[in-house]
Amino acid sequence: QVQLVESGGGLVQPGGSLRLSCAASGFTLDYYAIGWYRQAPGKQREFVARISHSDTTDYADSLKGRFTISRDNAWKTVFLQMNSLKPEDTAVYYCNIGKYWGQGTQVTVSS
């Protein structure tokens, strides 16, 4: 019943920026947090960032200062602002809440 739909991915040059969106529906606010994860080809899925319903945020240490997670007031959309992108940021980015996952959106950082 919970649905998560990611969008905003694409091709960007190194040093560029993207803003990803996660359209969320069908959940209640007793869920603790919505998070972003990413998975590069041949790699394990890794944590990127999360935001709780109390608006506390958490980031992977290596991404602090470049990525910012935020949400709209009604929790209909969660965003991931990605700045100063590097080739190693290339991955499929997934939105997550509890046991639910979106289908992912591809981010490719290349010149």
Side-chain angles (χ1 to χ4, degrees):
Q1 189 170 11
V2 173
Q3 293 185 339
L4 302 169
V5 181
E6 302 94 335
S7 63
L11 177 64
V12 64
Q13 294 185 2
S17 298
L18 283 174
R19 189 177 75 161
L20 306 183
S21 297
C22 172
S25 63
F27 66 95
T28 57
L29 293 180
D30 58 344
Y31 283 94
Y32 183 75
I34 296 178
W36 286 96
Y37 293 72
R38 68 185 185 184
Q39 188 167 22
K43 306 287 188 178
Q44 295 187 12
R45 189 170 298 184
E46 65 176 348
F47 168 76
V48 173
R50 68 168 62 90
I51 183 168
S52 74
H53 53 66
S54 61
D55 286 328
T56 57
T57 58
D58 189 26
Y59 299 90
D61 287 341
S62 63
L63 302 178
K64 290 180 179 178
R66 293 198 298 122
F67 288 13
T68 303
I69 189 169
S70 62
R71 64 170 180 88
D72 67 3
N73 186 255
W75 288 88
K76 292 184 181 296
T77 310
V78 175
F79 305 98
L80 183 69
Q81 179 67 44
M82 309 165 66
N83 298 326
S84 302
L85 285 163
K86 305 174 181 179
E88 52 263 44
D89 295 320
T90 296
V92 178
Y93 284 72
Y94 297 91
C95 187
N96 164 260
I97 179 168
K99 67 179 181 180
Y100 300 99
W101 297 85
Q103 293 299 305
T105 185
Q106 176 72 48
V107 172
T108 302
V109 184
S110 176
S111 59

